[in-house]
Amino acid sequence: MDETTSDDPPPRPWDEEEPREIEEDGPTRVSAWPLVVALGLTVSEVGVFMGVYPLAVGGLVLFVASVAGITHEAGYTRRPWRLAGALGVVLVAAGVWMVSTQVPLAVDPVVTAVERADGIVLRGVSVVGAGVVSVVGAAIVSAMGDGTNDTFPA
Amino acid sequence: MAVEQLALTVLMGILLVAVAGLVSRMVDWRSYTPLGGASAIGGSGYGGGHAEKPAGIVRWFTTVDHKDIGILYGIYALVAFFWGGAAVLLMRAELAAPGFDIMEAAFYNSLLTSHGITMLFLFGTPIIAAFSNYFIPLLIGADDMAFPRINAIAFWLLPPGAILIWAGFFTAPLGLGIDPAQTSWTMYTPLSAEQANAGVDLMLLGLHLTGVSATMGAINFIATIFTERGDDVNWANLDIFSWTILTQSALILFAFPLLGSALIMLLLDRNFATTFFAVEGGSPILWQHLFWFFGHPEVYILVLPPMGLVSWILPKFSGRKLFGFKFVVYSTLAIGVLSFGVWAHHMFSTGMDPRIRASFMAVSLAIAIPSAVKTFNWITTMWNGRLRLTAPMLFCIGFISNFVIGGITGVFLAAIPVDLVLHDTYYVVGHFHYIVMGMIAFAGMGALYYWFPIVTGRMYQRTLAKWHFWLSMIGTNITFFAFLVLGYLGMPRRYATYQFDGAIAPLAQVTTLHQISTVGAFIIGIGQVVWAWNMVQSWYEGPEVEDADPWNLKDDGMFGREFQWFEAQKLAADGGEEEVATDGGGVRPDGGYRRAVRRVDDE
Amino acid sequence: MVSEPDAKTFDRETLLDLVVNAIPLGIILFFILVFALVNPFGSDPVNTAIQFSIMIVTGLALLVLTYVSGKAVSEAEDELEEQGLELSEEAGADGTAETTAPAETEDDTA
Ligand code: HEM
Ligand SMILES: [Cu+2]
């Protein structure tokens, strides 16, 4: 412990257990993700609550992606895209639930509700949309990776 | 509508692309960073070698270092302080004469709301977080916070929170129909539920975000203080500031989630026709209960850490250890618990059951004891001490003096018969301003001066600091003592005008007192301008501190852990340079040390 | 963690420290008694129950926290004493640190 005088963190347990190139090479006191997580949370909150659907979808996608990114960076998951996909599924479920509180879950009633601009149904649909974008996006990106690119392992 | 949504979609797309680009650049940069700190095994710390922290502004957007985050919190809080201060100076100007002179009621109400929320949530909580982030890890011998990334997230939720809370002021001129909220900081229903103005929703969302931020921070501090203490620190020698932060974090953990839930209920009432706080539903009084169950602990969330700061700094300039250290610790914990049993003393006049009301009075009187105990401890610490009236010490003494008035007025208000007379008058405003301005802001200023050498490596200008103190102290007491008297005269709070019927209140005296307190407020304002100048100029041009003991604390055996850390940094910086010269690699992460001390030069 | 098999959890000094929280507890107790004896508003199942539980719950919480924290602190003190170290907010557990350079302090504990 001759490093007690320094302010440097000792290697965190997960840094050692899961050797990953970035973490070893790169600085340990820097992360681009927190800012993005905060931004994603803010934008999605405003988007969903105020019923600004583009913001809702974009914010949620940003939030999902950044949560996946930061947990990966911190070493809590090896496969961020899978986590992103899973979070997308959660969003789809949440959105479907929101819609289901208002109208029966069938095509016609939902379409009519959307047409008469029912606020809650529209919000639910936007959450579903964000979930779908996340799932599809995660799938595409992880399919593009060949499994050896460790920056974004699928 | 369609056009708007389309435009927003495009905007959102651009934002997403920008973020993706930014992050990927970050990742690139991370992967290509040369192994600059191969020598710095054991962590590539604080700028350890310039390769390891990005230069310039990017560093501040990406840092997860507790010290950097502390600085960010500090700057954020001070920006908010000036926003809230500007708002109140406008209000005081309006109140210099009885009628509507320079603004309309709506604008006054907006300023009032913004001032209160800004000062409590955007200045008070963050300025405390600034000190705790920077210094708790140093004081307890931890390497960093337990969850550095969560720490950074907690900070980055605040700027968007502030933008949302202030949003109405920016959007009002655009004519979108989004105006600043006029709910006052307590957001009492039904008023807040019925104001049809998207600005209120934005403010509530912003508040919610700052609450999430505070909760994340609290969890982090609890985890840090419990698990990251150095080998030589345990409960018996944990410093007093850490104790108060621990208690504060526990209070946050119980209080803020409740505020968050109540805010969401209010948002639902406003936008989705729920009836949590409607007369025909859960009743408006429910809001008051929920709000004050959060609100009273919140006032202690704000005041306990400043008490800790004073308990830490005051002995340093008294040449004596804190008298009755354990008393202060246990009474801090007592305040933490009791503060959850007093909330309805804010609601004595709501017509609640008299038996229940009496109980809240009982506990409110009980909570005054641990507060008073501390006052006596501080006074006894100074008694026969070798006092050195440096700027931090002056602010500590001012803090105690203001607490005597602020605390005693609080005890009066806690007595039901007195409160029924004084409730909703300026007396209440005087009471809590003695505390929030006289204590919280004062302790913050004192701590800023005390630790200025550590953070900047430089010394502030002492004469200006004394000017700052005396202007603040005199201004505070002029302004808020006048409030107390105004309250006795029956001046109700939260009004932009005071054209009374002479039978209700003596208009001439009320006018004079208002003018006196306007003058006092501007004196405070001038003091803060002096201070801002001092901070900025000294940060850039102040004399560098040569010695790690700028306060001569070693003479009294008072050289605290944070200054020990500072000394180690300085030693390593000096010694490290030689080592780099000799063996080229260096066994110490010296770059970091140099950086910590001379950050100013580097940027 | 367990220091002595002693029946007493707190020694004299610790008890003295804890007195500080006995005062608010005493005040609450006082009011409980007063409100039990003097009852100008009459009794009502719900309101009287709330009335007393506010005081009793808060008082109990204070009692428990005082006990737990007092115990934690006195155990920690024993631990330091066993290591022959001094209590000091400033210097960590190292009694010599008050006047010596921190670099040495750090080495001692390393
Ligand atoms: C000595 C302990 C204290 C007691 C017994 C006490 C008592 C009270 C009472 C009874 C009120 C309600 C007055 C009314 O609205 O009619 C009040 C208001 C207030 N107190 Fe205290 N107080 C104490 C300490 C503090 C502290 C330490 C703070 C702040 C850090 C504080 C901040 C406030 C605030 C902000 C209000 C006004 C809330 C509002 O209506 O906007 N008080 N206090
Ligand atoms: Cu209160």
Side-chain angles (χ1 to χ4, degrees):
Chain A
M1 279 289 280
D2 63 328
E3 293 295 333
T4 37
T5 50
S6 95
D7 189 52
D8 306 329
R12 307 265 169 188
W14 50 83
D15 287 345
E16 287 172 350
E17 281 159 25
E18 296 188 17
R20 290 185 313 278
E21 267 94 276
I22 345 167
E23 205 58 53
E24 287 193 336
D25 292 1
T28 55
R29 294 210 158 183
V30 175
S31 169
W33 291 113
L35 177 59
V36 188
V37 174
L39 206 64
L41 184 60
T42 312
V43 174
S44 43
E45 222 186 72
V46 173
V48 173
F49 228 104
M50 308 295 285
V52 189
Y53 309 111
L55 288 189
V57 175
L60 284 170
V61 171
L62 195 62
F63 185 60
V64 164
S66 57
V67 167
I70 201 167
T71 36
H72 173 246
E73 186 192 66
Y76 291 120
T77 172
R78 276 165 190 266
R79 306 184 153 206
W81 295 109
R82 236 180 231 193
L83 178 62
L87 289 174
V89 172
V90 172
L91 283 185
V92 171
V96 168
W97 172 77
M98 281 167 75
V99 174
S100 76
T101 58
Q102 304 301 310
V103 291
L105 286 180
V107 177
D108 280 352
V110 173
V111 170
T112 19
V114 169
E115 271 166 4
R116 73 186 147 77
D118 178 308
I120 297 179
V121 171
L122 278 177
R123 284 174 173 83
V125 169
S126 66
V127 174
V128 172
V132 171
V133 173
S134 308
V135 172
V136 172
I140 292 175
V141 180
S142 65
M144 276 171 15
D146 53 4
T148 53
N149 174 1
D150 288 324
T151 315
F152 288 115
Chain B
M1 192 63 193
V3 180
E4 260 172 41
Q5 298 266 328
L6 199 69
L8 273 168
T9 314
V10 173
L11 262 180
M12 195 63 220
I14 294 173
L15 179 73
L16 279 176
V17 171
V19 168
L22 190 78
V23 174
S24 62
R25 256 198 63 191
M26 235 43 100
V27 171
D28 275 358
W29 163 79
R30 287 166 50 92
S31 347
Y32 295 126
T33 303
L35 201 58
S39 52
I41 294 295
S44 28
Y46 196 46
H50 290 274
E52 302 199 340
K53 257 193 192 180
I57 196 90
V58 178
R59 161 182 169 195
W60 295 102
F61 284 118
T62 57
T63 182
V64 296
D65 180 320
H66 70 97
K67 297 191 292 316
D68 287 351
I69 292 177
I71 293 173
L72 287 173
Y73 267 112
I75 292 169
Y76 175 89
L78 298 174
V79 170
F81 188 55
F82 280 96
W83 174 285
V88 85
L89 288 184
L90 288 176
M91 286 156 61
R92 283 308 331 165
E94 164 62 33
L95 289 169
F100 284 116
D101 303 304
I102 61 170
M103 63 180 74
E104 289 166 8
F107 190 57
Y108 182 91
N109 294 345
S110 311
L111 291 176
L112 174 74
T113 306
S114 188
H115 167 73
I117 290 195
T118 300
M119 287 307 197
L120 291 174
F121 294 96
L122 308 181
F123 164 67
T125 320
I127 191 74
I128 293 166
F131 297 123
S132 51
N133 266 290
Y134 201 108
F135 289 103
I136 292 284
L138 304 183
L139 287 169
I140 67 172
D143 300 313
D144 201 314
M145 298 289 287
F147 308 112
R149 287 183 186 80
I150 290 188
N151 204 20
I153 297 177
F155 172 75
W156 286 113
L157 283 172
L158 286 180
I163 290 171
L164 289 176
I165 288 172
W166 298 337
F169 287 96
F170 309 131
T171 51
L174 304 181
L176 300 173
I178 305 179
D179 296 321
Q182 302 179 42
T183 58
S184 175
W185 86 281
T186 52
M187 299 168 278
Y188 274 6
T189 50
L191 180 69
S192 58
E194 286 167 4
Q195 272 180 23
N197 167 13
V200 179
D201 296 305
L202 292 177
M203 183 187 81
L204 296 176
L205 287 171
L207 267 178
H208 188 252
L209 288 174
T210 62
V212 172
S213 156
T215 313
M216 290 173 107
I219 293 171
N220 214 342
F221 278 111
I222 293 175
T224 305
I225 294 175
F226 266 88
T227 64
E228 304 279 309
R229 274 173 294 162
D231 297 332
D232 54 349
V233 180
N234 71 7
W235 293 124
N237 61 8
L238 187 67
D239 65 280
I240 187 67
F241 182 53
S242 301
W243 273 110
T244 55
I245 287 292
L246 184 63
T247 314
Q248 182 219 29
S249 301
L251 292 180
I252 288 178
L253 203 57
F254 286 106
F256 266 90
L258 188 121
L259 173 72
S261 317
L263 288 174
I264 290 187
M265 287 155 77
L266 183 55
L267 278 164
L268 292 174
D269 269 14
R270 289 176 52 82
N271 294 294
F272 298 100
T274 53
T275 55
F276 291 111
F277 306 121
V279 177
E280 67 280 12
S283 109
I285 292 294
L286 175 63
W287 169 264
Q288 295 198 20
H289 277 296
L290 292 179
F291 182 82
W292 287 115
F293 187 85
F294 149 80
H296 187 84
E298 162 72 2
V299 304
Y300 280 101
I301 287 167
L302 287 170
V303 87
L304 282 177
M307 288 173 162
L309 288 172
V310 167
S311 305
W312 178 251
I313 297 171
L314 185 86
K316 306 285 188 282
F317 299 104
S318 305
R320 304 177 59 191
K321 293 216 159 0
L322 181 64
F323 177 85
F325 171 78
K326 295 278 180 50
F327 282 180
V328 182
V329 170
Y330 292 126
S331 60
T332 298
L333 296 171
I335 289 177
V337 172
L338 294 179
S339 65
F340 282 101
V342 300
W343 76 88
H345 65 211
H346 296 273
M347 303 163 57
F348 281 156
S349 60
T350 54
M352 65 200 304
D353 186 274
R355 287 160 290 214
I356 298 177
R357 195 165 65 175
S359 285
F360 280 109
M361 175 176 81
V363 184
S364 300
L365 294 179
I367 203 175
I369 298 299
S371 313
V373 164
K374 290 170 191 269
T375 312
F376 285 110
N377 278 297
W378 294 320
I379 294 173
T380 322
T381 305
M382 290 192 291
W383 196 271
N384 273 339
R386 202 166 44 75
L387 302 193
R388 290 184 288 150
L389 296 180
T390 59
M393 182 64 168
L394 286 173
F395 275 99
C396 289
I397 298 174
F399 170 102
I400 300 170
S401 147
N402 292 333
F403 185 40
V404 171
I405 301 182
I408 289 179
T409 50
V411 181
F412 288 173
L413 287 172
I416 296 167
V418 180
D419 184 70
L420 292 181
V421 176
L422 293 174
H423 175 66
D424 259 346
T425 68
Y426 263 62
Y427 188 86
V428 176
V429 187
H431 153 65
F432 68 77
H433 276 91
Y434 262 101
I435 290 176
V436 288
M437 178 66 203
M439 295 173 74
I440 297 166
F442 270 49
M445 298 301 176
L448 277 176
Y449 285 123
Y450 181 62
W451 283 323
F452 193 82
I454 293 192
V455 176
T456 64
R458 293 169 183 270
M459 195 39 121
Y460 58 80
Q461 298 160 66
R462 294 163 207 255
T463 317
L464 288 184
K466 300 228 159 121
W467 273 98
H468 172 215
F469 169 75
W470 285 110
L471 288 169
S472 301
M473 185 69 188
I474 293 171
T476 298
N477 279 280
I478 291 179
T479 310
F480 302 124
F481 203 81
F483 278 20
L484 295 177
V485 182
L486 276 169
Y488 282 129
L489 292 181
M491 171 74 205
R493 60 192 284 205
R494 296 180 175 137
Y495 283 90
T497 58
Y498 45 95
Q499 287 155 316
F500 298 123
D501 177 345
I504 301 174
L507 182 58
Q509 280 95 317
V510 167
T511 308
T512 313
L513 285 164
H514 268 303
Q515 284 162 351
I516 289 174
S517 69
T518 297
V519 170
F522 278 90
I523 294 178
I524 300 176
I526 295 167
Q528 309 321 301
V529 172
V530 171
W531 163 78
W533 167 256
N534 191 359
M535 290 288 111
V536 173
Q537 211 224 351
S538 305
W539 191 312
Y540 283 104
E541 293 173 1
E544 279 188 41
V545 288
E546 299 299 334
D547 176 11
D549 186 13
W551 303 119
N552 295 324
L553 300 174
K554 286 181 180 172
D555 296 351
D556 296 319
M558 290 263 173
F559 198 56
R561 292 193 195 108
E562 82 282 32
F563 276 101
Q564 294 172 22
W565 170 86
F566 184 50
E567 182 168 64
Q569 303 293 87
K570 284 188 90 78
L571 285 177
D574 300 343
E577 257 157 24
E578 284 166 32
E579 289 194 38
V580 171
T582 50
D583 63 27
V587 289
R588 294 160 186 264
D590 43 84
Y593 296 146
R594 243 179 288 128
R595 181 115 176 160
V597 184
R598 303 205 190 125
R599 183 172 314 121
V600 189
D601 301 350
D602 290 346
E603 282 171 17
Chain C
M1 280 307 244
V2 181
S3 41
E4 315 146 278
D6 193 338
K8 278 190 296 181
T9 319
F10 299 130
D11 56 19
R12 244 180 79 86
E13 230 168 278
T14 313
L15 277 178
L16 200 69
D17 291 336
L18 295 182
V19 164
V20 71
N21 283 2
I23 302 170
L25 263 178
I27 294 182
I28 292 179
L29 217 63
F30 168 80
F31 276 104
I32 292 179
L33 290 178
V34 169
F35 292 160
L37 295 173
V38 187
N39 185 8
F41 302 109
S43 292
D44 162 293
V46 174
N47 287 325
T48 306
I50 298 178
Q51 176 188 18
F52 282 96
S53 50
I54 289 162
M55 293 180 292
I56 294 173
V57 170
T58 329
L60 276 183
L62 177 58
L63 198 66
V64 170
L65 185 71
T66 307
Y67 177 82
V68 170
S69 56
K71 202 162 150 182
V73 170
S74 70
E75 279 171 6
E77 270 172 4
D78 292 344
E79 231 172 81
L80 292 187
E81 264 163 36
E82 271 165 31
Q83 301 167 28
L85 299 172
E86 217 176 89
L87 308 175
S88 165
E89 235 191 326
E90 272 79 30
D94 192 309
T96 60
E98 291 193 358
T99 42
T100 50
E104 293 169 35
T105 322
E106 307 284 355
D107 289 346
D108 289 349
T109 55

